[in-house]
């Protein structure tokens, strides 16, 4: 029986086919959408702040 300090042997969970498939999906996403950059993060932050502000205004009005 394994415990916290002696977890036992590591199971072989590597899947080369799965790793390649994941890599191919990520590569396709980067080729079509591009790497998320600074401006996309700023726009996302602005959208979140605007939504919170609208919710705050609705609560304050009603």
């Amino acid at each position: 029986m394994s415990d916290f300090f002696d977890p036992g042997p590591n199971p072989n969970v590597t899947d080369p086919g799965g790793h390649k498939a994941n890599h191919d999906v990520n590569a396709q996403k980067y080729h079509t959408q591009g790497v998320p950059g600074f401006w996309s993060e700023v726009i996302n932050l602005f959208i979140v702040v605007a939504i919170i502000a609208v919710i705050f205004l609705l609560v304050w009005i009603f």
Side-chain angles (χ1 to χ4, degrees):
M1 181 172 161
S2 63
D3 60 5
F4 181 75
F5 296 107
D6 184 20
N10 292 332
N12 188 4
V13 294
T14 58
D15 182 12
H19 178 72
K20 183 178 182 327
N22 187 29
H23 178 269
D24 292 342
V25 168
N26 288 337
Q28 181 64 31
K29 183 179 78 169
Y30 289 145
H31 284 297
T32 57
Q33 298 176 357
V35 179
F38 174 74
W39 290 113
S40 65
E41 295 295 325
V42 169
I43 291 171
N44 289 340
L45 181 63
F46 179 73
I47 291 170
V48 169
V49 169
I51 290 171
I52 292 172
V54 167
I55 291 171
F56 178 74
L57 286 175
L58 287 175
V59 169
W60 186 60
I61 290 173
F62 296 111

